Amino acid sequence: MAIAAVLDAVTLLRGEMAAITRSNARIEAGHKELHQRLDTIEAAQAELANVAPFLQNHFGKTVEGNEALGMTLDAIATVVAALASDNEANHAEATAAREKILGHLTGATGGLREAIDAGVMPLTELIDTRLKANDAAAQEGIADVKRGLSGIAEVAEKIIRDGSSAREQAKADLKSTGTVIAFTRAAVLGDHAPLPVIVDDHPMLERYILHQRPDLTSSERALVEWRKVIAATSAEELIALLNKQQTPSPTDTPESRLLRYRLAAITRAKIEERGGVPPLRPTTTRATDRSAGTGYLRNQELAALWRQGESTELYAEPELAGALDIFDALDDKIAPSAPDAYQPELSALHSDLAKRIELGERPTLHESRPSAQPDRAPTIEPSKDR
């Protein structure tokens, strides 16, 4: 009986130990999750630590410039008040204020100093001259100074506007940076997703776009077709095509610009695979000349390329990818047994797309269906008299 009692006690103790073990396992799982969250927070804090010095420097310069501008304008107001009083005793105060202006100008930095210097220095010289003249000349000088002050006010307004614009740009850049950090963090944790176009096309990611790896697995139609088209193309032809692909277009959109350099990455990889030496990468993805005249010539070039029909150059041009999507969508609906019966619809659509491209449009499959693409086309029976 004693042994049985001992065994019962041991069994009970084992049950308690098992319960404690399960409780410890839950606590350890909670600790593990807590550590993962702390790692995420530390990673975000590390990025913020990199951004903080930039913000401190930027806002420090802004505050310093605004203080210099305010002190300078106060000094100018003192000079005008002294001159307007017609009191010889105030001439000494005006002279001291002039020296104060010059001191502020010496301490100002960068574009702020140049902007104030251009408007204030002529006034200080004028004040110095009028102080040495008679009262009549002084009165005339006051009018000149007042006119000059209006110019200074314009300079101040411009500086304030520029500062506000810079702050808005800084906010937009920080928002884009935060988005990139969030997507990068998600990718590291296994949640892969493409960046939004507005972020992926940001100038700060331009270097990545130019040096990206070729996408050889995407099912996107433009990339799939391009990989097929260049399969049997020589390295010399590909080099000529790559030079065109790497040339920024004056009429591109963010979407077509990103596609351009995705196509170029595939072309470059194929050239290297063939043993060729690809041309150097460009320094920017954006055209410097986007004037109306340049855009007109570019539209004519693309329209002519579209009218020539199917070619390697046609599939190499990202700005025509949307039109190819539309054309292929209608072509896929045609019955393979009787393609000639639908040729008028395809011809009409091809002609309509050429006109739209020539006018500067870049039609895509997500837009409303063009007028030349009839709703009845998929249901026409080839055997009927048309």
Side-chain angles (χ1 to χ4, degrees), residues 250-267:
T251 59
D252 61 7
T253 62
E255 290 79 7
S256 64
R257 184 159 50 244
L258 293 174
L259 178 59
R260 172 177 297 280
Y261 295 98
R262 293 177 70 190
L263 294 173
I266 297 174
T267 309

Side-chain angles (χ1 to χ4, degrees), residues 59-300:
F59 289 118
K61 288 184 178 180
T62 302
V63 172
E64 178 185 351
N66 289 341
E67 289 178 352
L69 176 62
M71 295 171 66
T72 302
L73 294 178
D74 289 342
I76 293 174
T78 303
V79 173
V80 174
L83 290 175
S85 66
D86 291 332
N87 189 341
E88 294 293 336
N90 289 334
H91 285 184
E93 181 182 357
T95 303
R98 176 185 179 277
E99 297 300 328
K100 187 177 180 182
I101 292 173
L102 294 176
H104 292 329
L105 290 178
T106 303
T109 58
L112 177 62
R113 183 201 179 285
E114 296 175 359
I116 299 178
D117 184 46
V120 174
M121 285 301 292
L123 291 181
T124 58
E125 295 174 359
L126 177 63
I127 291 170
D128 188 53
T129 301
R130 297 306 188 191
L131 288 175
K132 297 176 182 179
N134 55 31
D135 290 342
Q139 293 296 328
E140 181 182 351
I142 292 172
D144 292 337
V145 170
K146 288 181 178 179
R147 285 193 296 269
L149 281 177
S150 64
I152 297 298
E154 294 177 0
V155 172
E157 291 176 0
K158 182 179 184 301
I159 292 174
I160 293 173
R161 287 196 304 270
D162 292 344
S164 176
S165 176
R167 285 191 293 272
E168 292 299 325
Q169 183 62 42
K171 290 180 181 178
D173 291 345
L174 287 175
K175 183 177 180 181
S176 298
T177 303
T179 304
V180 172
I181 293 172
F183 273 75
T184 303
R185 180 66 179 175
V188 170
L189 296 177
D191 185 10
H192 299 276
L195 280 172
V197 173
I198 191 173
V199 176
D200 204 4
D201 187 52
H202 196 283
M204 69 179 179
L205 296 180
E206 202 167 43
R207 182 177 178 84
Y208 165 76
I209 294 172
L210 292 173
H211 291 79
Q212 64 183 300
R213 293 182 179 181
D215 188 348
L216 304 178
T217 60
S218 173
S219 59
E220 187 175 344
R221 187 209 58 80
L223 299 181
V224 172
E225 293 292 343
W226 183 237
R227 292 196 297 264
K228 292 180 182 179
V229 167
I230 64 175
T233 308
S234 66
E236 292 75 14
E237 294 175 323
L238 290 177
I239 289 175
L241 289 170
L242 182 57
N243 279 320
K244 292 182 179 179
Q245 283 179 329
Q246 292 188 152
T247 302
S249 172
T251 59
D252 61 7
T253 62
E255 290 79 7
S256 64
R257 184 159 50 244
L258 293 174
L259 178 59
R260 172 177 297 280
Y261 295 98
R262 293 177 70 190
L263 294 173
I266 297 174
T267 309
R268 178 178 294 275
K270 183 60 68 173
I271 292 173
E272 294 174 346
E273 180 183 314
R274 301 283 171 81
V277 180
L280 296 176
R281 291 179 172 85
T283 57
T284 180
T285 63
R286 287 165 169 75
T288 55
D289 183 6
R290 299 181 70 94
S291 61
T294 305
Y296 173 79
L297 295 176
R298 176 63 174 163
N299 293 333
Q300 299 298 315

